């Protein structure tokens, strides 16, 4: 299941989903301010729901007999096998500061390319 999770998070479908979400919301986040705005939390909660739903659907399709209970147990037992980008992604689902760091990194990366790819908020 760890291998399936890694495959899911490296899949182009996941990348498109992630980038579309980050692109839609990156302008709301301010790297200059240490203060968290009230509007950040709904964006974070929607992120968690979106990614958890995607991962669950993909694991259900890819892993025979998948259940979220078994997955939670496996994650605890094999946490030492989960590293790098997979670990960071999972952390962004449980830790707001990790998510904030992810979205600010995405925003900075887009700005560094000299192209304004983040969609302005209305």
């Amino acid at each position: 299941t760890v291998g399936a999770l890694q495959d899911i998070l490296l899949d182009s479908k996941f990348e498109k989903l992630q980038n579309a979400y980050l692109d839609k919301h990156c302008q709301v986040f301010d790297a200059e301010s240490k203060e968290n705005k009230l509007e950040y939390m709904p964006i974070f909660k929607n992120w968690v729901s979106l990614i958890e739903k995607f991962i669950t659907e993909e694991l259900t399709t890819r892993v025979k007999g998948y259940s979220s209970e078994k997955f939670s147990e496996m994650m605890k037992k094999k946490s030492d096998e989960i590293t790098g980008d997979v670990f960071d992604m999972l952390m962004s689902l449980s830790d707001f500061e990790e998510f904030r760091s992810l979205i600010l990194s995405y925003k900075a990366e887009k700005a560094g390319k000299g192209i304004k790819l983040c969609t302005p908020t209305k």
Side-chain angles (χ1 to χ4, degrees):
T1 307
V2 172
L5 178 61
Q6 289 173 329
D7 291 345
I8 291 165
L9 296 179
L10 295 173
D11 191 292
S12 63
K13 287 192 305 187
F14 178 77
E15 185 179 354
K16 288 175 187 173
L17 177 73
Q18 174 182 328
N19 288 346
Y21 192 85
L22 297 177
D23 193 60
K24 180 178 178 182
H25 298 288
C26 70
Q27 289 301 327
V28 175
F29 286 76
D30 181 6
E32 303 300 316
S33 175
K34 300 278 184 209
E35 214 171 294
N36 290 322
K37 298 177 185 176
L38 290 175
E39 60 195 310
Y40 292 178
M41 197 50 61
I43 294 170
F44 172 63
K45 288 181 179 181
N46 288 336
W47 165 256
V48 171
S49 295
L50 176 73
I51 300 304
E52 284 180 348
K53 181 178 184 247
F54 180 83
I55 290 172
T56 299
E57 288 172 358
E58 289 293 316
L59 284 172
T60 301
T61 302
R62 296 176 187 214
V63 178
K64 186 176 181 175
Y66 169 79
S67 78
S68 56
E69 293 80 20
K70 288 179 187 175
F71 180 70
S72 294
E73 287 176 32
M74 184 272 311
M75 293 298 288
K76 290 175 188 169
K77 290 178 184 174
K78 297 188 176 194
S79 62
D80 58 323
E81 293 179 28
I82 301 168
T83 59
D85 292 341
V86 173
F87 180 78
D88 291 344
M89 178 53 56
L90 294 175
M91 286 302 296
S92 80
L93 299 176
S94 63
D95 183 331
F96 171 77
E97 287 302 321
E98 189 71 30
F99 169 73
R100 185 173 187 269
S101 175
L102 174 70
I103 202 164
L104 289 174
S105 293
Y106 178 86
K107 183 178 181 178
E109 182 180 320
K110 294 300 177 187
K113 292 182 178 178
I115 303 170
K116 187 175 180 182
L117 295 176
C118 296
T119 309
T121 57
K122 295 177 183 178

